[in-house]
Amino acid sequence: ASDVYKRQILVKSISGGNLMLAGARIDTISGRQHLTAPHSYASELTAAGTFLEHVLPARGHLLECGIFQDQPTPVYIDSASAIFVIHDRAAVKRSIWLLRRATILQESAEYGDIIAIKIPGVDNFSDPETKQVSSKVWRRHLWYANNLPGPCPE
């Protein structure tokens, strides 16, 4: 295999996300994934699982403070394949570590802890945590993430 191909295989993906409460960002996640994903599907599913590791404790902290959540926490994901896997147990490709990660996401959705919602990439303000974006896109995401007043910058 060529050197370029080898380098592409060995690059680890980055998981990113923002945890919001009442319109305010309370946690930002950005970090390399613990293993090299063989394809983007695996990477997106791993990122969703990593984010779930922050959502569930936050729900627990709210409950300890006496704030009961009777609705699932919306989790906005820009990957259609990750959304599909969360909603369909038969959709997981045959990999044991992916199956374990998918099962936790599926059970969280079934128990009403999360609801996975597809978000278009243009509105995904977690993109700056995972990749470089243009200044125009950055301003738009910053407006969302910081709950700024006024119209959304275009």
Side-chain angles (χ1 to χ4, degrees):
S2 71
D3 288 338
V4 173
Y5 179 73
K6 286 179 186 175
R7 277 184 269 146
Q8 287 175 344
I9 290 175
L10 297 177
V11 172
K12 292 185 180 182
S13 298
I14 298 175
S15 296
N18 290 286
L19 195 58
M20 307 278 292
L21 178 63
R25 183 171 26 184
I26 60 170
D27 193 6
T28 298
I29 301 132
S30 180
R32 290 218 177 266
Q33 293 182 357
H34 63 284
L35 50 89
T36 303
H39 39 72
S40 63
Y41 159 80
S43 176
E44 293 289 351
L45 200 56
T46 301
T50 299
F51 193 68
L52 181 67
E53 293 170 5
H54 292 262
V55 170
L56 294 179
R59 286 179 62 93
H61 289 305
L62 289 173
L63 187 59
E64 289 293 323
C65 293
I67 303 170
F68 177 73
Q69 290 187 302
D70 59 350
Q71 298 292 317
T73 301
V75 176
Y76 297 98
I77 302 171
D78 63 355
S79 166
S81 60
I83 298 278
F84 187 61
V85 165
I86 290 170
H87 295 297
D88 183 6
R89 287 194 178 271
V92 183
K93 293 183 181 178
R94 302 204 183 272
S95 170
I96 195 67
W97 68 268
L98 266 186
L99 185 60
R100 289 179 183 150
R101 180 84 55 165
T103 300
I104 293 168
L105 287 162
Q106 291 161 349
E107 287 178 355
S108 294
E110 288 170 10
Y111 296 151
D113 290 325
I114 65 166
I115 181 167
I117 301 169
K118 173 79 170 94
I119 188 169
V122 67
D123 293 328
N124 183 5
F125 65 86
S126 293
D127 274 354
E129 274 71 71
T130 62
K131 58 188 162 197
Q132 286 185 323
V133 294
S134 68
S135 62
K136 181 180 176 182
V137 173
W138 176 258
R139 282 192 303 276
R140 180 180 171 87
H141 292 331
L142 214 55
W143 182 84
Y144 277 120
N146 294 316
N147 201 17
L148 298 175
C152 178
E154 293 299 326

